[in-house]
Amino acid sequence: MHTADAQDEVAPDGRLSVQKEIDREMADETCAGEALDVVLDPQKEQKLLVKLDMAFVPIIMLTYLSCFLDRSNIGNVKVAHMPEDINASDSQFSIAVSIFYVTYVLFEAPWAVLMKKLTPRNILTGLCIVWSLTTIFTGFIESVGSLYATRLILGACEAGLFPCLNLYLTMVYRREEQAKRVSYLMSCAAISGAVGGLLAYGLLHMDGIGGKAGWRWVYIIEGLFSAACAILIWFGLPNNPAEAYFLNEEERWMMRVRNEQRRKYMGSDKFSWEEMRIALRDPKLLFSGVIQFCQDILLYGFSTFLPTILQGMGYDSLMSNVLTVPVYIWSAIIFIAIAFCSDRYSKFASYIFTTNVFGIVGYILLLTVGNTAVQYFATFLIGITTYTAVGLNVAWLNVNIAPQYRRALEIGLQQTMGNCAGIVAGQVYRQAPYVLGNGFSLGSLAVAQVAVTGFGFYLRRENKMKDQILNGEKEDTRRVQTGDGSVDFKYIY
């Protein structure tokens, strides 16, 4: 054996020799340098993306679908006399809607930051198991206190799902590929409304079976569906997507090249308190958080109380659930179509601003017109912005933050700020015909329009400043010059 080979042997203490560590680091740097110059075959890369989408997207969508079903079905069961069965007053029921978001907003950022340490598969599977059991147990509650307890547990567990799934997408796709995939994720919120309405319609017909009210079967059956999703997560989402079992050797090499080419976007694997401090002081977080809060007022008010809004128009409990289905399907189709355009043209501000205009018109119609047909049409206009603006705003922040720990905290905090809207929505949507709630949502859209415009101009100004620095026209005196602060990292607006 050569001397060099001997140096590569495992040392007596069980660790690799120092020389081997040095050689490995040099090899990694060389590979990284070579990867930056590699141009992947577009057709092969497209085939790889299709393969990744087919393997990961259905699991991610089903999981988020189940999450949103378990969260929002409280709106479906309200019209089926659930509050009366547990002796809950209108104000107590509103508290039950809002209390979910107390633990939800507290746990979002911690779960996002912990995902790297706990690994995606462990954290996502564990959370899914706990919230599915909680949903099932909700079908057996007998008091308001029990409802509060299940909503708090549900909020704590579901808090980690969206930020962790969103971060998982950044491990698989490039910046310019993410808006479309986030749209798949967020469209499940709309699809869950349609599925929830149909499920509620069918399951409420089980009223009396096994001596249980129909609303109890809604919780039990939907909780079992979530438990099945936990199995899919464990076996279907590998901790390292680049080494997924369904990829061949060439595809794994392509994944490694793609990872190296977006290393600046992903950043170091090592935790850094400095990155946390930079994230907390980032103006982009403030802009995005304000937008998310305003848009989430619509998301939680509209998606939770749409069956009751329709009931207030004169429909019975079963029909008010059925009539939500076309609205949610329309919302999902519009969202996916706009997200495709956003990915293709790398635009966010203009799309969010435009879709919000439809929502503003919709709420004005709900508040000023008494005709039932016109009011139902207004719900379709509101559906255009309800899910689209929320999803695009998440993707907008996602593609403009680097490296990964900075991104993890900002995404978590953005969701925390946004989901505080769930607490507010439960309080302003108290009694049909929800004049206060709809008026509050209209005002939130107006504020969102101002924030979207300001965020777009801010990113445009930052790009212009980076260009001036690159061209030597201006000295770089910025506080943050790493990650997305690098002069060659261009913001998308």
Side-chain angles (χ1 to χ4, degrees):
M1 181 179 293
H2 296 292
T3 304
D5 294 331
Q7 287 180 322
D8 286 347
E9 291 299 312
V10 177
D13 61 359
R15 296 175 300 171
L16 290 173
S17 68
V18 175
Q19 183 61 46
K20 188 174 181 69
E21 294 285 358
I22 294 172
D23 291 344
R24 178 175 293 174
E25 289 179 7
M26 291 177 63
D28 288 343
E29 291 177 3
T30 302
C31 291
E34 291 175 353
L36 295 175
D37 298 326
V38 172
V39 178
L40 298 176
D41 185 313
Q43 291 186 336
K44 289 184 177 181
E45 190 170 16
Q46 189 59 40
K47 283 183 63 178
L48 173 63
L49 286 175
V50 171
K51 205 168 186 178
L52 292 170
D53 286 344
M54 293 294 289
F56 296 144
V57 170
I59 297 173
I60 289 173
M61 290 184 69
L62 279 174
T63 304
Y64 197 63
L65 173 66
S66 74
C67 163
F68 227 86
L69 276 175
D70 294 344
R71 176 192 317 179
S72 60
N73 55 18
I74 192 171
N76 297 112
V77 300
K78 181 183 181 183
V79 298
H81 310 296
M82 183 261 221
E84 292 83 351
D85 286 355
I86 62 172
N87 299 314
S89 65
D90 286 342
S91 61
Q92 288 174 323
F93 187 82
S94 294
I95 291 172
V97 173
S98 297
I99 204 171
F100 168 91
Y101 298 97
V102 174
T103 48
Y104 195 96
V105 300
L106 288 175
F107 282 90
E108 279 181 302
W111 285 133
V113 174
L114 283 171
M115 190 182 84
K116 185 72 178 178
K117 183 175 290 291
L118 298 179
T119 73
R121 183 162 58 182
N122 287 341
I123 194 171
L124 290 170
T125 304
L127 292 174
C128 192
I129 289 172
V130 177
W131 95 59
S132 63
L133 291 175
T134 302
T135 303
I136 293 170
F137 292 152
T138 307
F140 297 90
I141 62 171
E142 298 289 347
S143 65
V144 177
S146 299
L147 179 61
Y148 290 168
T150 57
R151 294 287 289 176
L152 285 169
I153 297 170
L154 199 65
C157 294
E158 290 195 3
L161 185 68
F162 185 79
C164 289
L165 287 179
N166 197 36
L167 285 170
Y168 194 83
L169 291 175
T170 68
M171 297 167 61
V172 182
Y173 301 102
R174 300 180 193 269
R175 292 175 72 197
E176 64 274 13
E177 298 164 353
Q178 287 179 27
K180 187 193 306 181
R181 276 77 191 185
V182 172
S183 79
Y184 295 150
L185 184 59
M186 282 303 301
S187 66
C188 289
I191 295 170
S192 74
V195 174
L198 287 174
L199 275 176
Y201 178 77
L203 295 175
L204 289 176
H205 280 91
M206 296 177 66
D207 190 47
I209 295 178
K212 292 180 174 56
W215 66 264
R216 295 186 184 277
W217 285 111
V218 172
Y219 280 111
I220 294 169
I221 300 300
E222 291 182 3
L224 291 172
F225 174 69
S226 295
C229 289
I231 299 172
L232 290 176
I233 293 171
W234 180 259
F235 290 104
L237 295 184
N239 288 326
N240 182 5
E243 298 296 328
Y245 68 92
F246 56 83
L247 299 177
N248 59 39
E249 284 304 315
E250 182 181 22
E251 289 166 340
R252 291 179 182 180
W253 170 78
M254 291 173 67
M255 287 292 287
R256 288 194 292 272
V257 170
R258 284 164 55 87
N259 286 345
E260 291 298 337
Q261 291 176 343
R262 62 192 175 92
R263 183 172 290 277
K264 181 176 289 187
Y265 179 51
M266 292 299 293
S268 172
D269 287 341
K270 296 181 180 178
F271 179 82
S272 167
W273 284 109
E274 179 59 26
E275 292 294 344
M276 301 293 99
R277 285 189 286 270
I278 291 173
L280 291 173
R281 298 193 297 260
D282 191 351
K284 297 192 292 298
L285 174 60
L286 179 60
F287 276 115
S288 187
V290 170
I291 295 169
Q292 199 72 6
F293 176 84
C294 293
Q295 303 293 167
D296 275 347
I297 290 288
L298 273 69
L299 178 65
Y300 297 125
F302 190 73
S303 64
T304 302
F305 294 99
L306 182 57
T308 319
I309 291 172
L310 293 173
Q311 191 178 41
M313 295 179 189
Y315 300 104
D316 62 31
S317 61
L318 291 176
M319 187 54 65
S320 62
N321 274 303
V322 172
L323 287 177
T324 64
V325 176
V327 179
Y328 288 129
I329 292 176
W330 160 257
S331 302
I333 292 172
I334 291 295
F335 180 22
I336 292 174
I338 293 176
F340 266 77
C341 295
S342 179
D343 250 357
R344 182 179 179 86
Y345 300 108
S346 294
K347 298 290 183 183
F348 289 95
S350 57
Y351 286 113
I352 296 174
F353 191 94
T354 302
T355 57
N356 278 346
V357 171
F358 289 96
I360 289 172
V361 174
Y363 277 113
I364 290 174
L365 291 177
L366 273 184
L367 290 165
T368 60
V369 179
N371 183 277
T372 301
V374 175
Q375 288 182 325
Y376 187 54
F377 171 72
T379 63
F380 284 85
L381 294 179
I382 296 168
I384 292 175
T385 186
T386 299
Y387 301 96
T388 304
V390 170
L392 289 185
N393 187 50
V394 172
W396 194 9
L397 180 66
N398 209 21
V399 300
N400 284 313
I401 303 295
Q404 64 179 345
Y405 272 114
R406 193 185 306 177
R407 185 183 318 112
L409 182 60
E410 291 202 33
I411 289 172
L413 290 176
Q414 180 220 47
Q415 290 299 297
T416 297
M417 295 167 68
N419 285 310
C420 287
I423 302 173
V424 177
Q427 301 307 305
V428 297
Y429 279 87
R430 280 183 172 270
Q431 191 172 7
Y434 299 121
V435 174
L436 174 61
N438 292 331
F440 198 91
S441 295
L442 177 60
S444 297
L445 278 178
V447 175
Q449 295 294 68
V450 175
V452 168
T453 304
F455 194 14
F457 277 115
Y458 170 77
L459 294 178
R460 185 176 179 180
R461 189 198 72 180
E462 290 296 299
N463 279 347
K464 185 177 180 181
M465 185 185 302
K466 289 181 178 183
D467 288 338
Q468 291 175 334
I469 294 170
L470 274 174
N471 296 331
E473 301 171 14
K474 191 172 186 178
E475 184 182 355
D476 194 353
T477 57
R478 296 172 304 144
R479 178 173 51 83
V480 179
Q481 301 177 14
T482 60
D484 59 80
S486 299
V487 290
D488 57 348
F489 188 106
K490 299 302 180 185
Y491 294 120
I492 299 173
Y493 56 88

mmCIF file with all atom_site columns, all heavy atoms in Angstrom, residues 301-313:
data_model
loop_
_atom_site.group_PDB
_atom_site.id
_atom_site.type_symbol
_atom_site.label_atom_id
_atom_site.label_alt_id
_atom_site.label_comp_id
_atom_site.label_asym_id
_atom_site.label_entity_id
_atom_site.label_seq_id
_atom_site.pdbx_PDB_ins_code
_atom_site.Cartn_x
_atom_site.Cartn_y
_atom_site.Cartn_z
_atom_site.occupancy
_atom_site.B_iso_or_equiv
_atom_site.pdbx_formal_charge
_atom_site.auth_seq_id
_atom_site.auth_comp_id
_atom_site.auth_asym_id
_atom_site.auth_atom_id
_atom_site.pdbx_PDB_model_num
ATOM 1  N N   . GLY A 1 301 ? -61.052 34.116 6.890  1.00 0.00 ? 301 GLY A N   1
ATOM 2  C CA  . GLY A 1 301 ? -62.436 34.538 6.985  1.00 0.00 ? 301 GLY A CA  1
ATOM 3  C C   . GLY A 1 301 ? -63.293 33.883 5.917  1.00 0.00 ? 301 GLY A C   1
ATOM 4  O O   . GLY A 1 301 ? -64.366 33.336 6.192  1.00 0.00 ? 301 GLY A O   1
ATOM 5  N N   . PHE A 1 302 ? -62.805 33.888 4.680  1.00 0.00 ? 302 PHE A N   1
ATOM 6  C CA  . PHE A 1 302 ? -63.567 33.358 3.550  1.00 0.00 ? 302 PHE A CA  1
ATOM 7  C C   . PHE A 1 302 ? -63.664 31.840 3.594  1.00 0.00 ? 302 PHE A C   1
ATOM 8  O O   . PHE A 1 302 ? -64.740 31.266 3.457  1.00 0.00 ? 302 PHE A O   1
ATOM 9  C CB  . PHE A 1 302 ? -62.909 33.816 2.248  1.00 0.00 ? 302 PHE A CB  1
ATOM 10 C CG  . PHE A 1 302 ? -63.711 33.540 1.007  1.00 0.00 ? 302 PHE A CG  1
ATOM 11 C CD1 . PHE A 1 302 ? -64.851 34.273 0.721  1.00 0.00 ? 302 PHE A CD1 1
ATOM 12 C CD2 . PHE A 1 302 ? -63.320 32.561 0.113  1.00 0.00 ? 302 PHE A CD2 1
ATOM 13 C CE1 . PHE A 1 302 ? -65.591 34.034 -0.428 1.00 0.00 ? 302 PHE A CE1 1
ATOM 14 C CE2 . PHE A 1 302 ? -64.047 32.299 -1.037 1.00 0.00 ? 302 PHE A CE2 1
ATOM 15 C CZ  . PHE A 1 302 ? -65.195 33.046 -1.308 1.00 0.00 ? 302 PHE A CZ  1
ATOM 16 N N   . SER A 1 303 ? -62.516 31.170 3.800  1.00 0.00 ? 303 SER A N   1
ATOM 17 C CA  . SER A 1 303 ? -62.513 29.710 3.744  1.00 0.00 ? 303 SER A CA  1
ATOM 18 C C   . SER A 1 303 ? -63.238 29.077 4.929  1.00 0.00 ? 303 SER A C   1
ATOM 19 O O   . SER A 1 303 ? -63.855 28.018 4.797  1.00 0.00 ? 303 SER A O   1
ATOM 20 C CB  . SER A 1 303 ? -61.079 29.175 3.679  1.00 0.00 ? 303 SER A CB  1
ATOM 21 O OG  . SER A 1 303 ? -60.363 29.492 4.867  1.00 0.00 ? 303 SER A OG  1
ATOM 22 N N   . THR A 1 304 ? -63.194 29.715 6.091  1.00 0.00 ? 304 THR A N   1
ATOM 23 C CA  . THR A 1 304 ? -63.848 29.155 7.273  1.00 0.00 ? 304 THR A CA  1
ATOM 24 C C   . THR A 1 304 ? -65.348 29.428 7.295  1.00 0.00 ? 304 THR A C   1
ATOM 25 O O   . THR A 1 304 ? -66.140 28.564 7.660  1.00 0.00 ? 304 THR A O   1
ATOM 26 C CB  . THR A 1 304 ? -63.214 29.712 8.566  1.00 0.00 ? 304 THR A CB  1
ATOM 27 O OG1 . THR A 1 304 ? -61.816 29.406 8.573  1.00 0.00 ? 304 THR A OG1 1
ATOM 28 C CG2 . THR A 1 304 ? -63.863 29.102 9.806  1.00 0.00 ? 304 THR A CG2 1
ATOM 29 N N   . PHE A 1 305 ? -65.736 30.625 6.860  1.00 0.00 ? 305 PHE A N   1
ATOM 30 C CA  . PHE A 1 305 ? -67.133 31.031 7.035  1.00 0.00 ? 305 PHE A CA  1
ATOM 31 C C   . PHE A 1 305 ? -67.945 31.059 5.742  1.00 0.00 ? 305 PHE A C   1
ATOM 32 O O   . PHE A 1 305 ? -69.106 31.483 5.769  1.00 0.00 ? 305 PHE A O   1
ATOM 33 C CB  . PHE A 1 305 ? -67.174 32.410 7.706  1.00 0.00 ? 305 PHE A CB  1
ATOM 34 C CG  . PHE A 1 305 ? -66.650 32.398 9.115  1.00 0.00 ? 305 PHE A CG  1
ATOM 35 C CD1 . PHE A 1 305 ? -65.347 32.802 9.394  1.00 0.00 ? 305 PHE A CD1 1
ATOM 36 C CD2 . PHE A 1 305 ? -67.441 31.956 10.166 1.00 0.00 ? 305 PHE A CD2 1
ATOM 37 C CE1 . PHE A 1 305 ? -64.855 32.779 10.687 1.00 0.00 ? 305 PHE A CE1 1
ATOM 38 C CE2 . PHE A 1 305 ? -66.959 31.924 11.458 1.00 0.00 ? 305 PHE A CE2 1
ATOM 39 C CZ  . PHE A 1 305 ? -65.663 32.332 11.730 1.00 0.00 ? 305 PHE A CZ  1
ATOM 40 N N   . LEU A 1 306 ? -67.373 30.609 4.620  1.00 0.00 ? 306 LEU A N   1
ATOM 41 C CA  . LEU A 1 306 ? -68.142 30.615 3.377  1.00 0.00 ? 306 LEU A CA  1
ATOM 42 C C   . LEU A 1 306 ? -69.445 29.817 3.493  1.00 0.00 ? 306 LEU A C   1
ATOM 43 O O   . LEU A 1 306 ? -70.495 30.285 3.021  1.00 0.00 ? 306 LEU A O   1
ATOM 44 C CB  . LEU A 1 306 ? -67.290 30.102 2.208  1.00 0.00 ? 306 LEU A CB  1
ATOM 45 C CG  . LEU A 1 306 ? -67.989 30.105 0.839  1.00 0.00 ? 306 LEU A CG  1
ATOM 46 C CD1 . LEU A 1 306 ? -68.490 31.502 0.475  1.00 0.00 ? 306 LEU A CD1 1
ATOM 47 C CD2 . LEU A 1 306 ? -67.042 29.578 -0.251 1.00 0.00 ? 306 LEU A CD2 1
ATOM 48 N N   . PRO A 1 307 ? -69.441 28.598 4.102  1.00 0.00 ? 307 PRO A N   1
ATOM 49 C CA  . PRO A 1 307 ? -70.729 27.888 4.236  1.00 0.00 ? 307 PRO A CA  1
ATOM 50 C C   . PRO A 1 307 ? -71.769 28.703 5.003  1.00 0.00 ? 307 PRO A C   1
ATOM 51 O O   . PRO A 1 307 ? -72.954 28.714 4.645  1.00 0.00 ? 307 PRO A O   1
ATOM 52 C CB  . PRO A 1 307 ? -70.349 26.610 5.001  1.00 0.00 ? 307 PRO A CB  1
ATOM 53 C CG  . PRO A 1 307 ? -68.908 26.403 4.704  1.00 0.00 ? 307 PRO A CG  1
ATOM 54 C CD  . PRO A 1 307 ? -68.322 27.785 4.629  1.00 0.00 ? 307 PRO A CD  1
ATOM 55 N N   . THR A 1 308 ? -71.324 29.418 6.041  1.00 0.00 ? 308 THR A N   1
ATOM 56 C CA  . THR A 1 308 ? -72.263 30.208 6.834  1.00 0.00 ? 308 THR A CA  1
ATOM 57 C C   . THR A 1 308 ? -72.693 31.468 6.079  1.00 0.00 ? 308 THR A C   1
ATOM 58 O O   . THR A 1 308 ? -73.830 31.926 6.217  1.00 0.00 ? 308 THR A O   1
ATOM 59 C CB  . THR A 1 308 ? -71.630 30.607 8.183  1.00 0.00 ? 308 THR A CB  1
ATOM 60 O OG1 . THR A 1 308 ? -70.891 29.505 8.695  1.00 0.00 ? 308 THR A OG1 1
ATOM 61 C CG2 . THR A 1 308 ? -72.692 30.989 9.191  1.00 0.00 ? 308 THR A CG2 1
ATOM 62 N N   . ILE A 1 309 ? -71.770 32.041 5.291  1.00 0.00 ? 309 ILE A N   1
ATOM 63 C CA  . ILE A 1 309 ? -72.129 33.187 4.452  1.00 0.00 ? 309 ILE A CA  1
ATOM 64 C C   . ILE A 1 309 ? -73.231 32.787 3.475  1.00 0.00 ? 309 ILE A C   1
ATOM 65 O O   . ILE A 1 309 ? -74.212 33.511 3.270  1.00 0.00 ? 309 ILE A O   1
ATOM 66 C CB  . ILE A 1 309 ? -70.894 33.711 3.688  1.00 0.00 ? 309 ILE A CB  1
ATOM 67 C CG1 . ILE A 1 309 ? -69.895 34.361 4.653  1.00 0.00 ? 309 ILE A CG1 1
ATOM 68 C CG2 . ILE A 1 309 ? -71.299 34.715 2.607  1.00 0.00 ? 309 ILE A CG2 1
ATOM 69 C CD1 . ILE A 1 309 ? -68.570 34.732 4.019  1.00 0.00 ? 309 ILE A CD1 1
ATOM 70 N N   . LEU A 1 310 ? -73.073 31.603 2.876  1.00 0.00 ? 310 LEU A N   1
ATOM 71 C CA  . LEU A 1 310 ? -74.079 31.119 1.931  1.00 0.00 ? 310 LEU A CA  1
ATOM 72 C C   . LEU A 1 310 ? -75.391 30.787 2.641  1.00 0.00 ? 310 LEU A C   1
ATOM 73 O O   . LEU A 1 310 ? -76.479 31.002 2.105  1.00 0.00 ? 310 LEU A O   1
ATOM 74 C CB  . LEU A 1 310 ? -73.545 29.888 1.189  1.00 0.00 ? 310 LEU A CB  1
ATOM 75 C CG  . LEU A 1 310 ? -72.375 30.154 0.239  1.00 0.00 ? 310 LEU A CG  1
ATOM 76 C CD1 . LEU A 1 310 ? -71.809 28.843 -0.305 1.00 0.00 ? 310 LEU A CD1 1
ATOM 77 C CD2 . LEU A 1 310 ? -72.805 31.049 -0.913 1.00 0.00 ? 310 LEU A CD2 1
ATOM 78 N N   . GLN A 1 311 ? -75.277 30.262 3.849  1.00 0.00 ? 311 GLN A N   1
ATOM 79 C CA  . GLN A 1 311 ? -76.493 29.977 4.620  1.00 0.00 ? 311 GLN A CA  1
ATOM 80 C C   . GLN A 1 311 ? -77.247 31.274 4.911  1.00 0.00 ? 311 GLN A C   1
ATOM 81 O O   . GLN A 1 311 ? -78.482 31.299 4.911  1.00 0.00 ? 311 GLN A O   1
ATOM 82 C CB  . GLN A 1 311 ? -76.133 29.258 5.923  1.00 0.00 ? 311 GLN A CB  1
ATOM 83 C CG  . GLN A 1 311 ? -77.347 28.698 6.660  1.00 0.00 ? 311 GLN A CG  1
ATOM 84 C CD  . GLN A 1 311 ? -76.945 27.954 7.928  1.00 0.00 ? 311 GLN A CD  1
ATOM 85 O OE1 . GLN A 1 311 ? -76.070 28.399 8.665  1.00 0.00 ? 311 GLN A OE1 1
ATOM 86 N NE2 . GLN A 1 311 ? -77.574 26.814 8.181  1.00 0.00 ? 311 GLN A NE2 1
ATOM 87 N N   . GLY A 1 312 ? -76.478 32.350 5.138  1.00 0.00 ? 312 GLY A N   1
ATOM 88 C CA  . GLY A 1 312 ? -77.095 33.649 5.375  1.00 0.00 ? 312 GLY A CA  1
ATOM 89 C C   . GLY A 1 312 ? -77.812 34.190 4.150  1.00 0.00 ? 312 GLY A C   1
ATOM 90 O O   . GLY A 1 312 ? -78.652 35.089 4.263  1.00 0.00 ? 312 GLY A O   1
ATOM 91 N N   . MET A 1 313 ? -77.473 33.658 2.965  1.00 0.00 ? 313 MET A N   1
ATOM 92 C CA  . MET A 1 313 ? -78.173 34.053 1.737  1.00 0.00 ? 313 MET A CA  1
ATOM 93 C C   . MET A 1 313 ? -79.506 33.328 1.591  1.00 0.00 ? 313 MET A C   1
ATOM 94 O O   . MET A 1 313 ? -80.278 33.617 0.670  1.00 0.00 ? 313 MET A O   1
ATOM 95 C CB  . MET A 1 313 ? -77.296 33.749 0.511  1.00 0.00 ? 313 MET A CB  1
ATOM 96 C CG  . MET A 1 313 ? -76.004 34.548 0.429  1.00 0.00 ? 313 MET A CG  1
ATOM 97 S SD  . MET A 1 313 ? -75.046 34.082 -1.049 1.00 0.00 ? 313 MET A SD  1
ATOM 98 C CE  . MET A 1 313 ? -73.492 34.945 -0.734 1.00 0.00 ? 313 MET A CE  1
#
